[in-house]
Amino acid sequence: MSIEEITLRNFRSWRDEHRIPLRPLTLIYGPNSSGKSSILIALSLLRQTLERASGAPVPLHPVGPFADVGDFTTLVHGHDEERAL
């Protein structure tokens, strides 16, 4: 199984939907504060969540061996708990 694309919405500094295609070689570059680290954190968060998955639905695991992103309020855009990730 391979992941070909991830979509992030209301994740950290990104409010709008962002589709990020992933290929065998993916370069992440851009100016400072453009969200590069958010992509890497999202991938780490996805990995540690999927490695702990034992059924459906799969709960998000924000603290683990690959990422420690705190709680939902820390992750969601604008710290607005009414938004969905």
Side-chain angles (χ1 to χ4, degrees):
M1 179 173 120
S2 66
I3 298 172
E4 297 178 359
E5 176 181 272
I6 62 171
T7 302
L8 301 174
R9 182 179 58 242
N10 292 325
F11 186 77
R12 296 178 43 127
S13 63
W14 293 346
R15 182 187 66 209
D16 299 323
E17 184 173 286
H18 294 273
R19 294 178 185 262
I20 300 123
L22 301 173
R23 303 291 185 258
L25 176 63
T26 300
L27 302 175
I28 301 173
Y29 60 92
N32 291 340
S33 300
S34 63
K36 299 178 299 289
S37 64
S38 290
I39 295 169
L40 298 176
I41 288 170
L43 290 170
S44 297
L45 182 61
L46 179 63
R47 179 179 177 187
Q48 77 188 19
T49 295
L50 292 177
E51 284 188 357
R52 293 182 180 180
S54 60
V58 178
L60 186 67
H61 291 280
V63 177
F66 304 108
D68 182 351
V69 294
D71 60 7
F72 179 78
T73 305
T74 305
L75 282 178
V76 70
H77 176 75
H79 308 291
D80 182 353
E81 294 181 8
E82 298 299 315
R83 294 180 184 267
L85 285 178

